[in-house]
Amino acid sequence: GSTIDISIGTSELDSIKVQANFAKSLATTYIAITSATVKDIVGNAVVAIGAASAKAAAAYTADNTVPTLVSFSLSMNASPTLKLTFSESVDSTTIKFDYFTLQKGSSDTSAALQLSANTVLVGFSVSSTVLEARLTLADANEVKRLETLAVSRATTYLSVQQGAVKDWASKDLAAITNT
Protein backbone atom coordinates (compact mmCIF):
# COMPACT_ATOMS: atom_id res chain seq x y z
CA GLY A 1 0.00 0.00 0.00
CA SER A 2 0.86 3.64 -0.27
CA THR A 3 2.11 5.73 2.59
CA ILE A 4 0.90 9.25 3.30
CA ASP A 5 2.76 11.56 5.65
CA ILE A 6 0.53 13.95 7.57
CA SER A 7 1.92 17.17 9.02
CA ILE A 8 0.25 18.28 12.21
CA GLY A 9 0.11 22.01 12.94
CA THR A 10 1.41 23.49 16.19
CA SER A 11 -2.01 24.20 17.71
CA GLU A 12 -3.26 20.72 16.78
CA LEU A 13 -0.10 19.16 18.21
CA ASP A 14 -0.56 21.10 21.45
CA SER A 15 -4.17 19.87 21.61
CA ILE A 16 -2.95 16.29 21.26
CA LYS A 17 -0.20 16.71 23.88
CA VAL A 18 -2.62 17.73 26.64
CA GLN A 19 -4.84 14.66 26.24
CA ALA A 20 -4.24 12.13 29.00
CA ASN A 21 -3.38 8.66 27.69
CA PHE A 22 -3.70 9.74 24.07
CA ALA A 23 -0.79 9.44 21.63
CA LYS A 24 1.65 8.94 24.51
CA SER A 25 3.04 5.64 23.15
CA LEU A 26 2.57 3.19 20.31
CA ALA A 27 -0.15 1.49 22.36
CA THR A 28 -2.19 4.72 22.65
CA THR A 29 -1.81 6.04 19.09
CA TYR A 30 -4.56 5.30 16.57
CA ILE A 31 -6.11 6.99 13.54
CA ALA A 32 -9.69 7.23 12.32
CA ILE A 33 -10.60 8.99 9.06
CA THR A 34 -13.67 9.97 7.08
CA SER A 35 -14.17 9.20 3.41
CA ALA A 36 -13.48 12.89 2.69
CA THR A 37 -9.92 12.66 4.08
CA VAL A 38 -8.21 11.75 0.80
CA LYS A 39 -8.98 10.62 -2.74
CA ASP A 40 -6.95 8.43 -5.06
CA ILE A 41 -5.58 9.62 -8.38
CA VAL A 42 -8.87 8.78 -10.12
CA GLY A 43 -10.95 10.64 -7.53
CA ASN A 44 -12.24 7.70 -5.52
CA ALA A 45 -12.71 8.45 -1.83
CA VAL A 46 -10.77 6.47 0.74
CA VAL A 47 -12.75 3.95 2.77
CA ALA A 48 -13.64 5.56 6.09
CA ILE A 49 -12.21 4.15 9.30
CA GLY A 50 -14.52 4.90 12.21
CA ALA A 51 -13.41 5.55 15.77
CA ALA A 52 -14.62 2.13 16.87
CA SER A 53 -12.28 0.44 14.38
CA ALA A 54 -9.42 2.97 14.40
CA LYS A 55 -6.09 1.70 13.07
CA ALA A 56 -3.11 1.40 15.39
CA ALA A 57 0.04 3.32 14.49
CA ALA A 58 2.80 1.27 12.90
CA ALA A 59 5.50 3.44 14.50
CA TYR A 60 5.71 6.03 17.24
CA THR A 61 8.31 8.66 18.09
CA ALA A 62 8.09 10.09 21.60
CA ASP A 63 8.18 13.82 22.28
CA ASN A 64 11.78 14.52 23.24
CA THR A 65 11.64 18.28 22.75
CA VAL A 66 12.60 20.21 25.86
CA PRO A 67 10.53 23.38 26.31
CA THR A 68 12.38 26.69 26.37
CA LEU A 69 11.48 30.18 27.49
CA VAL A 70 11.20 32.21 24.28
CA SER A 71 10.53 35.62 25.83
CA PHE A 72 9.12 37.39 28.84
CA SER A 73 7.72 40.79 29.72
CA LEU A 74 7.33 42.48 33.06
CA SER A 75 4.73 45.14 33.79
CA MET A 76 5.12 47.08 37.03
CA ASN A 77 1.82 48.96 36.65
CA ALA A 78 -0.95 48.88 39.27
CA SER A 79 -1.10 45.05 39.14
CA PRO A 80 2.49 43.95 38.46
CA THR A 81 2.56 40.97 36.10
CA LEU A 82 5.14 38.71 34.50
CA LYS A 83 4.22 37.27 31.10
CA LEU A 84 6.15 34.16 30.00
CA THR A 85 6.17 32.78 26.44
CA PHE A 86 7.38 29.21 25.89
CA SER A 87 8.49 27.32 22.78
CA GLU A 88 5.70 24.77 23.25
CA SER A 89 2.65 24.17 25.35
CA VAL A 90 3.47 23.70 29.03
CA ASP A 91 1.48 22.22 31.92
CA SER A 92 0.62 25.29 34.00
CA THR A 93 -0.08 23.12 37.05
CA THR A 94 3.66 22.30 37.29
CA ILE A 95 5.04 25.84 37.41
CA LYS A 96 7.39 26.74 40.27
CA PHE A 97 7.72 30.51 40.40
CA ASP A 98 10.46 30.36 43.01
CA TYR A 99 12.67 28.92 40.22
CA PHE A 100 12.50 32.31 38.43
CA THR A 101 14.78 35.20 39.36
CA LEU A 102 14.53 38.76 38.08
CA GLN A 103 17.97 40.31 37.86
CA LYS A 104 19.61 43.56 36.79
CA GLY A 105 21.75 42.12 33.98
CA SER A 106 22.58 38.93 32.16
CA SER A 107 25.34 38.24 34.67
CA ASP A 108 24.74 41.15 37.05
CA THR A 109 22.91 39.94 40.14
CA SER A 110 23.72 43.01 42.27
CA ALA A 111 19.98 43.68 42.14
CA ALA A 112 18.01 40.44 41.96
CA LEU A 113 14.79 38.98 43.23
CA GLN A 114 13.85 35.31 43.36
CA LEU A 115 10.09 35.22 42.86
CA SER A 116 7.86 33.93 45.60
CA ALA A 117 6.42 30.43 45.34
CA ASN A 118 3.10 32.14 46.13
CA THR A 119 3.04 33.98 42.80
CA VAL A 120 -0.36 33.39 41.17
CA LEU A 121 -1.20 32.65 37.53
CA VAL A 122 -3.81 35.09 36.17
CA GLY A 123 -3.79 34.69 32.39
CA PHE A 124 -3.52 31.12 31.16
CA SER A 125 -5.22 27.96 30.10
CA VAL A 126 -4.14 24.58 31.45
CA SER A 127 -2.27 24.04 28.18
CA SER A 128 -0.64 27.17 26.93
CA THR A 129 2.51 28.58 25.42
CA VAL A 130 1.85 31.85 27.27
CA LEU A 131 1.43 32.14 31.04
CA GLU A 132 0.84 35.37 32.91
CA ALA A 133 1.40 35.72 36.63
CA ARG A 134 0.63 38.46 39.13
CA LEU A 135 3.59 39.24 41.35
CA THR A 136 2.93 39.04 45.08
CA LEU A 137 2.73 42.39 46.84
CA ALA A 138 5.99 41.58 48.65
CA ASP A 139 7.77 40.79 45.35
CA ALA A 140 6.39 43.92 43.65
CA ASN A 141 7.51 46.08 46.58
CA GLU A 142 10.97 44.47 46.56
CA VAL A 143 11.40 45.19 42.83
CA LYS A 144 10.54 48.84 43.55
CA ARG A 145 12.89 48.92 46.55
CA LEU A 146 15.77 47.61 44.41
CA GLU A 147 16.07 50.89 42.53
CA THR A 148 18.29 49.53 39.76
CA LEU A 149 16.18 46.43 38.97
CA ALA A 150 13.55 46.49 36.22
CA VAL A 151 13.70 50.23 35.59
CA SER A 152 14.20 49.68 31.86
CA ARG A 153 14.58 46.86 29.39
CA ALA A 154 18.35 47.06 29.92
CA THR A 155 17.92 46.30 33.65
CA THR A 156 15.30 43.55 33.35
CA TYR A 157 16.65 40.02 32.93
CA LEU A 158 15.25 36.69 34.00
CA SER A 159 17.15 33.58 35.00
CA VAL A 160 15.34 30.27 35.34
CA GLN A 161 16.32 27.04 37.06
CA GLN A 162 15.78 23.78 35.22
CA GLY A 163 12.44 22.27 36.18
CA ALA A 164 10.60 25.57 36.62
CA VAL A 165 7.78 24.11 34.54
CA LYS A 166 7.16 20.90 32.60
CA ASP A 167 5.68 20.21 29.21
CA TRP A 168 3.03 17.56 28.62
CA ALA A 169 5.67 14.85 28.14
CA SER A 170 7.03 15.74 31.61
CA LYS A 171 10.15 17.34 30.09
CA ASP A 172 11.66 20.05 32.30
CA LEU A 173 12.01 23.59 31.02
CA ALA A 174 15.62 24.18 29.99
CA ALA A 175 17.52 26.30 32.51
CA ILE A 176 18.63 29.76 31.42
CA THR A 177 21.13 31.98 33.10
CA ASN A 178 19.80 35.09 31.40
CA THR A 179 17.19 36.34 28.92
Side-chain angles (χ1 to χ4, degrees), residues 64-114:
N64 290 318
T65 304
V66 175
T68 59
L69 182 66
V70 175
S71 64
F72 78 96
S73 62
L74 177 67
S75 170
M76 291 302 294
N77 292 332
S79 295
T81 56
L82 177 66
K83 187 175 186 178
L84 305 164
T85 303
F86 301 96
S87 60
E88 64 175 291
S89 183
V90 294
D91 180 355
S92 63
T93 66
T94 66
I95 196 156
K96 299 173 184 172
F97 283 107
D98 55 337
Y99 281 38
F100 293 83
T101 301
L102 289 167
Q103 57 191 58
K104 180 179 176 180
S106 64
S107 59
D108 183 351
T109 57
S110 62
L113 172 68
Q114 180 180 352

Side-chain angles (χ1 to χ4, degrees), residues 12-31:
E12 290 83 7
L13 185 58
D14 282 344
S15 294
I16 291 169
K17 288 180 177 182
V18 302
Q19 302 294 321
N21 300 316
F22 178 71
K24 302 293 185 216
S25 68
L26 187 61
T28 62
T29 306
Y30 292 81
I31 190 166

Side-chain angles (χ1 to χ4, degrees), residues 44 54 63 80 148-149:
N44 298 316
D63 176 6
T148 59
L149 177 63

Side-chain angles (χ1 to χ4, degrees), residues 28-48:
T28 62
T29 306
Y30 292 81
I31 190 166
I33 59 174
T34 68
S35 60
T37 303
V38 68
K39 293 182 180 181
D40 68 13
I41 198 165
V42 183
N44 298 316
V46 68
V47 175

